[in-house]
Amino acid sequence: MNNCPCGSGKTIDQCCEPYIQGREHAPTAEALMRSRYTAYAIKNLEYLRDTLLPEERDEFDIEAARKWSETAQWDGLDILHTEDGGPDDETGIVDFVARYSQSGVRQAHRELGSFRKQEGQWLYVDGEVRGEPQRRATPKVGRNEPCPCGSGKKYKKCCGK
């Protein structure tokens, strides 16, 4: 069994899969956030569209989401804080960091996501990006790779000393 990409420590079939496959609705805003992250990781873009607030679905660019989903390596999700969003609430906020790598560059997307329950189902409303995405200015240089300064030496024998 595979661990769920959302980082819950559970297997995917005991965590996000029942929501993504439509067998159950996520019981909390956090569970929906975790399942949306997992949907990116397993490339189920239809779930992302279907868990948006209906009036926001026309704005969803499924092809852009597909490109991001397919070109990124999904490294993990950290839930920093939740406000409301429980089974008996109607709205909720989830402060999270989605970690991923793209073209060998590690990145982090921090967002304060808003959620609303409609007809008993949690839906993603929108998000406020917190700070700039964290990314390296250049790809990481391995110790035994040529030094980027152009000296012709290995990085560890040159600028990496």
Side-chain angles (χ1 to χ4, degrees):
M1 291 291 176
N2 291 338
N3 279 340
C4 192
C6 80
S8 67
K10 300 176 183 175
T11 61
I12 192 168
D13 62 326
Q14 294 175 329
C15 191
C16 294
E17 188 177 271
Y19 313 137
I20 293 171
Q21 290 185 350
R23 296 192 312 260
E24 298 175 26
H25 291 305
T28 65
E30 180 180 337
L32 181 63
M33 183 59 246
R34 288 182 176 281
S35 66
R36 286 178 56 83
Y37 177 87
T38 297
Y40 270 110
I42 66 171
K43 300 162 186 55
N44 187 323
L45 291 304
E46 291 75 19
Y47 179 75
L48 293 170
R49 181 194 58 229
D50 295 346
T51 55
L52 281 172
L53 204 59
E55 52 268 28
E56 300 295 327
R57 290 180 188 162
D58 288 342
E59 301 292 319
F60 182 64
D61 185 346
I62 198 165
E63 289 311 312
R66 187 177 317 283
K67 183 178 179 183
W68 188 29
S69 175
E70 291 174 352
T71 60
Q73 174 185 328
W74 300 92
D75 299 326
L77 175 69
D78 297 316
I79 303 296
L80 304 176
H81 175 73
T82 61
E83 185 177 314
D84 299 325
D88 298 326
D89 294 318
E90 294 298 315
T91 61
I93 303 279
V94 180
D95 188 358
F96 67 92
V97 177
R99 291 178 285 110
Y100 61 99
S101 300
Q102 208 157 20
S103 301
V105 180
R106 287 188 158 158
Q107 301 185 49
H109 172 85
R110 182 169 179 194
E111 182 177 313
L112 194 61
S114 298
F115 298 82
R116 185 182 314 156
K117 196 186 292 184
Q118 280 190 343
E119 299 176 12
Q121 180 181 0
W122 281 105
L123 299 169
Y124 176 78
V125 177
D126 62 13
E128 176 188 320
V129 175
R130 309 289 275 197
E132 290 297 313
Q134 300 170 12
R135 49 177 75 102
R136 290 180 182 268
T138 59
K140 183 176 179 181
V141 178
R143 291 174 31 83
N144 290 313
E145 292 180 37
C147 191
C149 76
S151 68
K153 298 178 182 178
K154 288 184 179 182
Y155 178 71
K156 69 182 179 185
K157 297 283 186 178
C158 189
C159 296
K161 271 186 171 178

